Coordinates of all heavy atoms in Angstrom, one line a residue:
M127 N 51.9 -19.8 35.7 CA 52.2 -21.1 35.1 C 53.5 -21.0 34.2 O 53.6 -20.2 33.3 CB 51.0 -21.6 34.2 CG 51.2 -22.9 33.6 SD 49.6 -23.5 32.8 CE 49.3 -22.2 31.7
G128 N 54.4 -21.9 34.6 CA 55.7 -21.9 33.8 C 55.6 -22.9 32.7 O 54.6 -23.1 32.0
E129 N 56.7 -23.6 32.5 CA 56.8 -24.6 31.3 C 55.8 -25.8 31.6 O 55.6 -26.2 32.7 CB 58.2 -25.1 31.1 CG 58.8 -25.9 32.3 CD 60.1 -26.4 32.1 OE1 60.4 -26.8 30.9 OE2 61.0 -26.5 33.0
C130 N 55.3 -26.2 30.5 CA 54.4 -27.4 30.5 C 55.2 -28.6 30.6 O 56.1 -28.9 29.8 CB 53.5 -27.4 29.3 SG 52.4 -28.8 29.2
V131 N 55.0 -29.5 31.6 CA 55.8 -30.7 31.9 C 55.2 -31.8 31.1 O 55.9 -32.6 30.5 CB 55.8 -31.0 33.4 CG1 56.6 -32.3 33.7 CG2 56.5 -29.8 34.1
S132 N 53.9 -32.0 31.1 CA 53.2 -33.1 30.5 C 51.8 -32.7 30.1 O 51.2 -31.8 30.6 CB 53.2 -34.3 31.4 OG 52.4 -35.3 30.9
E133 N 51.3 -33.4 29.0 CA 49.9 -33.2 28.6 C 49.1 -34.5 28.6 O 48.0 -34.5 28.2 CB 49.9 -32.6 27.1 CG 50.5 -31.2 27.1 CD 50.3 -30.6 25.7 OE1 49.9 -31.3 24.8 OE2 50.7 -29.4 25.6
I134 N 49.8 -35.6 29.0 CA 49.1 -36.9 29.1 C 49.3 -37.5 30.5 O 50.4 -37.5 31.0 CB 49.7 -37.9 28.0 CG1 49.5 -37.3 26.6 CG2 49.1 -39.3 28.2 CD1 50.3 -38.2 25.6
P135 N 48.2 -38.0 31.2 CA 46.8 -38.0 30.7 C 46.1 -36.7 30.8 O 45.1 -36.4 30.2 CB 46.2 -39.0 31.6 CG 47.0 -38.9 32.9 CD 48.4 -38.6 32.5
Y136 N 46.8 -35.7 31.5 CA 46.3 -34.3 31.5 C 47.5 -33.4 31.7 O 48.6 -33.8 31.9 CB 45.3 -34.2 32.7 CG 45.7 -34.8 34.0 CD1 46.7 -34.1 34.8 CD2 45.2 -36.0 34.5 CE1 47.1 -34.7 36.0 CE2 45.6 -36.5 35.7 CZ 46.5 -35.9 36.4 OH 47.0 -36.4 37.6
M137 N 47.2 -32.1 31.5 CA 48.3 -31.1 31.5 C 48.8 -30.9 32.9 O 48.0 -30.7 33.9 CB 47.8 -29.8 30.9 CG 48.9 -28.7 30.8 SD 48.4 -27.3 29.8 CE 46.8 -27.0 30.2
T138 N 50.1 -30.9 33.0 CA 50.8 -30.5 34.3 C 51.9 -29.5 33.9 O 52.4 -29.5 32.8 CB 51.5 -31.7 35.0 OG1 52.4 -32.3 34.1 CG2 50.5 -32.7 35.4
A139 N 52.1 -28.5 34.9 CA 53.1 -27.5 34.6 C 53.8 -27.0 35.9 O 53.3 -27.3 37.0 CB 52.4 -26.3 34.0
R140 N 55.0 -26.4 35.7 CA 55.7 -25.9 36.8 C 55.0 -24.6 37.3 O 54.6 -23.7 36.5 CB 57.2 -25.6 36.5 CG 57.9 -26.9 36.1 CD 59.4 -26.6 36.1 NE 60.1 -27.8 35.7 CZ 60.3 -28.9 36.4 NH1 59.9 -28.9 37.7 NH2 61.0 -29.9 35.9
I141 N 54.9 -24.4 38.6 CA 54.2 -23.3 39.1 C 55.2 -22.4 39.9 O 56.0 -22.9 40.7 CB 53.1 -23.8 40.1 CG1 52.1 -24.7 39.4 CG2 52.3 -22.6 40.7 CD1 51.5 -24.2 38.1
H142 N 55.0 -21.1 39.7 CA 55.8 -20.1 40.4 C 54.9 -19.2 41.3 O 54.0 -18.5 40.7 CB 56.6 -19.2 39.4 CG 57.5 -20.0 38.5 ND1 58.6 -20.6 38.9 CD2 57.3 -20.4 37.2 CE1 59.2 -21.3 37.9 NE2 58.4 -21.1 36.8
I143 N 55.1 -19.3 42.5 CA 54.2 -18.6 43.5 C 54.5 -17.1 43.5 O 55.6 -16.7 43.4 CB 54.4 -19.2 44.9 CG1 54.1 -20.7 44.9 CG2 53.6 -18.4 45.9 CD1 54.5 -21.4 46.2
L144 N 53.4 -16.3 43.5 CA 53.5 -14.8 43.6 C 53.2 -14.3 45.0 O 52.2 -14.7 45.6 CB 52.4 -14.2 42.6 CG 52.6 -14.5 41.1 CD1 51.5 -14.0 40.3 CD2 53.9 -13.9 40.6
E145 N 54.1 -13.5 45.5 CA 53.9 -13.0 46.8 C 53.1 -11.6 46.7 O 53.2 -10.9 45.7 CB 55.3 -12.7 47.5 CG 56.1 -14.0 47.7 CD 55.4 -14.9 48.7 OE1 54.6 -14.4 49.6 OE2 55.6 -16.1 48.6
E146 N 52.4 -11.3 47.7 CA 51.5 -10.1 47.7 C 52.1 -9.1 48.7 O 52.7 -9.4 49.7 CB 50.1 -10.4 48.1 CG 49.4 -11.2 47.0 CD 47.9 -11.4 47.4 OE1 47.6 -11.3 48.6 OE2 47.1 -11.6 46.5
K147 N 51.9 -7.8 48.3 CA 52.3 -6.7 49.2 C 51.1 -6.3 50.0 O 50.2 -5.7 49.4 CB 52.9 -5.6 48.4 CG 53.4 -4.4 49.3 CD 53.9 -3.3 48.3 CE 54.3 -2.1 49.2 NZ 54.8 -0.9 48.3
V148 N 51.0 -6.5 51.3 CA 49.9 -6.3 52.1 C 50.2 -5.1 53.0 O 51.2 -5.1 53.7 CB 49.5 -7.5 52.9 CG1 48.2 -7.2 53.8 CG2 49.2 -8.7 52.0
P149 N 49.3 -4.0 53.1 CA 49.6 -2.9 54.0 C 49.6 -3.3 55.4 O 49.0 -4.4 55.8 CB 48.4 -2.0 53.7 CG 47.9 -2.4 52.3 CD 48.1 -3.9 52.3
E150 N 50.2 -2.5 56.3 CA 50.2 -2.7 57.7 C 48.8 -2.7 58.3 O 47.9 -2.0 57.7 CB 51.1 -1.7 58.4 CG 52.6 -1.7 57.9 CD 53.3 -3.0 58.3 OE1 52.9 -3.6 59.3 OE2 54.2 -3.5 57.6
D151 N 48.6 -3.3 59.4 CA 47.3 -3.3 60.0 C 46.9 -2.0 60.5 O 45.7 -1.7 60.6 CB 47.3 -4.3 61.3 CG 47.5 -5.8 60.8 OD1 47.2 -6.0 59.6 OD2 47.9 -6.6 61.6
D152 N 47.8 -1.1 60.9 CA 47.5 0.2 61.4 C 47.4 1.3 60.3 O 47.4 2.5 60.5 CB 48.5 0.7 62.5 CG 49.9 0.7 62.0 OD1 50.1 0.2 60.8 OD2 50.8 1.2 62.7
N153 N 47.4 0.8 59.0 CA 47.3 1.8 57.9 C 45.9 2.3 57.8 O 45.0 1.6 57.4 CB 47.8 1.1 56.6 CG 47.9 2.1 55.4 OD1 47.2 3.1 55.4 ND2 48.9 1.8 54.6
R154 N 45.7 3.6 58.2 CA 44.3 4.1 58.2 C 43.7 4.3 56.9 O 42.5 4.2 56.7 CB 44.4 5.5 59.0 CG 44.7 5.4 60.4 CD 44.6 6.7 61.1 NE 44.9 6.6 62.6 CZ 44.8 7.6 63.4 NH1 44.5 8.8 63.0 NH2 45.1 7.4 64.7
V155 N 44.6 4.7 55.9 CA 44.1 4.9 54.5 C 43.6 3.6 54.0 O 42.5 3.6 53.4 CB 45.2 5.5 53.6 CG1 44.7 5.6 52.2 CG2 45.7 6.8 54.1
F156 N 44.3 2.5 54.2 CA 43.8 1.2 53.7 C 42.6 0.8 54.4 O 41.6 0.2 53.8 CB 44.9 0.2 53.9 CG 44.6 -1.2 53.3 CD1 44.4 -1.4 52.0 CD2 44.4 -2.3 54.2 CE1 44.1 -2.6 51.5 CE2 44.1 -3.5 53.7 CZ 43.9 -3.7 52.3
T157 N 42.5 1.1 55.7 CA 41.3 0.7 56.5 C 40.1 1.5 55.9 O 39.0 0.9 55.8 CB 41.5 1.0 58.0 OG1 42.7 0.4 58.4 CG2 40.3 0.6 58.8
A158 N 40.3 2.8 55.6 CA 39.2 3.6 55.1 C 38.7 3.0 53.7 O 37.6 3.0 53.3 CB 39.6 5.0 54.9
L159 N 39.8 2.6 52.9 CA 39.5 2.0 51.6 C 38.6 0.8 51.7 O 37.6 0.6 51.0 CB 40.8 1.7 50.9 CG 40.7 1.0 49.5 CD1 39.9 1.8 48.5 CD2 42.1 0.6 49.0
V160 N 39.0 -0.1 52.7 CA 38.2 -1.3 52.9 C 36.8 -1.0 53.3 O 35.8 -1.7 52.8 CB 38.9 -2.2 53.9 CG1 38.1 -3.4 54.3 CG2 40.3 -2.7 53.4
E161 N 36.6 0.0 54.2 CA 35.2 0.3 54.6 C 34.4 0.9 53.4 O 33.2 0.6 53.3 CB 35.3 1.4 55.8 CG 35.9 0.8 57.1 CD 35.0 -0.3 57.6 OE1 33.7 -0.2 57.5 OE2 35.5 -1.3 58.1
A162 N 35.1 1.7 52.6 CA 34.4 2.2 51.4 C 33.9 1.1 50.5 O 32.8 1.1 49.9 CB 35.3 3.2 50.7
L163 N 34.8 0.1 50.3 CA 34.5 -1.0 49.5 C 33.3 -1.8 50.0 O 32.4 -2.2 49.3 CB 35.7 -2.0 49.3 CG 36.8 -1.5 48.4 CD1 38.1 -2.4 48.5 CD2 36.3 -1.5 46.9
K164 N 33.3 -2.0 51.3 CA 32.2 -2.7 52.0 C 30.8 -2.0 51.7 O 29.9 -2.6 51.3 CB 32.4 -2.8 53.5 CG 33.3 -3.9 54.0 CD 33.3 -4.0 55.5 CE 34.2 -5.1 56.0 NZ 34.2 -5.3 57.4
E165 N 30.8 -0.6 52.0 CA 29.6 0.1 51.8 C 29.1 0.1 50.3 O 27.9 -0.1 50.1 CB 29.8 1.6 52.2 CG 30.0 1.7 53.7 CD 30.3 3.2 54.1 OE1 30.1 4.1 53.2 OE2 30.6 3.4 55.3
L166 N 30.0 0.3 49.4 CA 29.7 0.3 48.0 C 29.2 -1.1 47.6 O 28.2 -1.2 46.8 CB 30.9 0.7 47.2 CG 30.7 1.2 45.8 CD1 29.6 2.3 45.7 CD2 32.0 1.7 45.1
A167 N 29.8 -2.1 48.0 CA 29.4 -3.5 47.7 C 28.0 -3.8 48.2 O 27.2 -4.4 47.5 CB 30.4 -4.5 48.2
I168 N 27.7 -3.4 49.5 CA 26.4 -3.6 50.0 C 25.3 -2.8 49.3 O 24.2 -3.3 49.0 CB 26.4 -3.2 51.5 CG1 27.3 -4.2 52.3 CG2 25.0 -3.2 52.1 CD1 27.6 -3.8 53.7
R169 N 25.7 -1.6 48.8 CA 24.7 -0.8 48.1 C 24.4 -1.5 46.7 O 23.3 -1.5 46.2 CB 25.3 0.6 47.8 CG 24.3 1.6 47.3 CD 24.9 2.9 46.9 NE 25.9 3.4 47.9 CZ 26.8 4.3 47.7 NH1 27.0 4.7 46.5 NH2 27.6 4.7 48.7
I170 N 25.4 -2.0 46.1 CA 25.2 -2.7 44.8 C 24.4 -3.9 45.0 O 23.5 -4.2 44.2 CB 26.6 -3.0 44.2 CG1 27.3 -1.8 43.7 CG2 26.4 -4.0 43.0 CD1 28.7 -2.0 43.3
I171 N 24.6 -4.7 46.1 CA 23.8 -5.9 46.3 C 22.3 -5.5 46.5 O 21.5 -6.2 45.9 CB 24.3 -6.6 47.6 CG1 25.7 -7.2 47.4 CG2 23.4 -7.7 48.0 CD1 26.4 -7.7 48.6
K172 N 22.1 -4.5 47.2 CA 20.7 -4.1 47.4 C 20.0 -3.6 46.1 O 18.8 -3.8 45.8 CB 20.6 -2.9 48.4 CG 20.9 -3.4 49.9 CD 20.9 -2.3 50.8 CE 21.1 -2.8 52.3 NZ 21.1 -1.6 53.3
G173 N 20.8 -2.9 45.2 CA 20.3 -2.3 44.0 C 20.2 -3.3 42.8 O 19.4 -3.1 41.9
S174 N 21.0 -4.3 42.8 CA 21.1 -5.2 41.6 C 20.0 -6.2 41.5 O 19.4 -6.4 40.5 CB 22.4 -6.0 41.6 OG 22.4 -6.9 42.6
G175 N 19.6 -6.8 42.7 CA 18.6 -7.8 42.6 C 19.0 -9.2 42.1 O 18.3 -10.2 42.2
S176 N 20.3 -9.3 41.6 CA 20.8 -10.6 41.1 C 21.7 -11.3 42.1 O 22.0 -12.5 41.9 CB 21.5 -10.3 39.7 OG 22.6 -9.5 39.9
I177 N 22.3 -10.5 43.0 CA 23.2 -11.1 44.0 C 22.4 -11.5 45.3 O 21.6 -10.6 45.7 CB 24.3 -10.1 44.4 CG1 25.1 -9.7 43.1 CG2 25.3 -10.7 45.4 CD1 26.1 -8.6 43.3
P178 N 22.6 -12.7 45.8 CA 21.8 -13.1 47.0 C 22.0 -12.2 48.2 O 23.1 -11.6 48.3 CB 22.3 -14.5 47.3 CG 22.9 -15.0 46.0 CD 23.4 -13.8 45.3
D179 N 21.0 -12.0 48.9 CA 21.1 -11.1 50.1 C 22.1 -11.6 51.1 O 22.6 -10.9 52.0 CB 19.7 -10.9 50.8 CG 18.8 -10.1 49.9 OD1 19.3 -9.3 49.0 OD2 17.5 -10.2 50.0
E180 N 22.3 -13.0 51.1 CA 23.3 -13.5 52.1 C 24.7 -13.0 51.9 O 25.5 -13.0 52.8 CB 23.3 -15.1 51.9 CG 22.1 -15.8 52.4 CD 21.0 -15.8 51.4 OE1 21.2 -15.2 50.4 OE2 19.9 -16.4 51.7
A181 N 25.0 -12.5 50.7 CA 26.3 -11.9 50.4 C 26.5 -10.6 51.3 O 27.6 -10.4 51.7 CB 26.4 -11.5 48.9
T182 N 25.4 -9.9 51.6 CA 25.6 -8.7 52.5 C 26.0 -9.2 53.9 O 26.9 -8.6 54.5 CB 24.2 -8.0 52.6 OG1 23.7 -7.7 51.3 CG2 24.3 -6.7 53.4
F183 N 25.4 -10.2 54.3 CA 25.8 -10.8 55.7 C 27.3 -11.2 55.6 O 28.0 -11.0 56.6 CB 24.9 -12.0 56.0 CG 25.3 -12.6 57.3 CD1 25.0 -12.1 58.5 CD2 25.9 -13.9 57.3 CE1 25.3 -12.7 59.7 CE2 26.3 -14.5 58.4 CZ 26.0 -13.9 59.7
A184 N 27.7 -11.9 54.5 CA 29.1 -12.3 54.4 C 30.1 -11.2 54.4 O 31.1 -11.2 55.2 CB 29.2 -13.1 53.1
I185 N 29.8 -10.1 53.7 CA 30.7 -9.0 53.6 C 30.8 -8.3 54.9 O 31.9 -7.9 55.3 CB 30.2 -8.0 52.5 CG1 30.4 -8.6 51.1 CG2 30.9 -6.7 52.5 CD1 29.8 -7.9 50.0
R186 N 29.7 -8.1 55.6 CA 29.7 -7.4 56.9 C 30.6 -8.2 57.9 O 31.2 -7.6 58.9 CB 28.3 -7.3 57.5 CG 27.5 -6.2 56.7 CD 26.2 -6.0 57.5 NE 25.2 -5.2 56.7 CZ 25.2 -3.9 56.6 NH1 26.2 -3.2 57.3 NH2 24.4 -3.3 55.9
N187 N 30.7 -9.5 57.8 CA 31.4 -10.3 58.8 C 32.8 -10.8 58.4 O 33.4 -11.5 59.1 CB 30.5 -11.5 59.1 CG 29.3 -11.1 59.9 OD1 29.3 -10.9 61.1 ND2 28.2 -10.9 59.2
I188 N 33.2 -10.4 57.2 CA 34.6 -10.8 56.8 C 35.5 -9.8 57.5 O 35.5 -8.6 57.2 CB 34.8 -10.7 55.3 CG1 33.9 -11.8 54.6 CG2 36.3 -11.0 54.9 CD1 33.9 -11.8 53.1
E189 N 36.4 -10.3 58.3 CA 37.3 -9.4 59.1 C 38.6 -9.1 58.4 O 39.2 -8.1 58.5 CB 37.6 -10.0 60.5 CG 36.3 -10.1 61.3 CD 36.5 -10.8 62.6 OE1 37.7 -11.2 62.9 OE2 35.6 -10.9 63.4

Side-chain angles (χ1 to χ4, degrees):
M127 184 170 57
E129 63 177 324
C130 182
V131 176
S132 172
E133 292 184 355
I134 299 173
Y136 45 75
M137 183 167 41
T138 59
R140 293 195 188 281
I141 304 304
H142 303 287
I143 298 169
L144 295 173
E145 296 298 330
E146 291 186 335
K147 181 182 177 183
V148 181
E150 299 293 333
D151 291 339
D152 59 351
N153 189 326
R154 293 185 179 182
V155 176
F156 182 66
T157 304
L159 173 63
V160 171
E161 290 299 321
L163 284 170
K164 277 187 179 183
E165 291 178 9
L166 197 53
I168 292 168
R169 194 188 312 159
I170 291 171
I171 291 169
K172 290 179 178 178
S174 70
S176 60
I177 303 175
D179 292 337
E180 289 80 358
T182 304
F183 177 75
I185 290 172
R186 289 187 189 278
N187 289 277
I188 297 173
E189 296 176 357

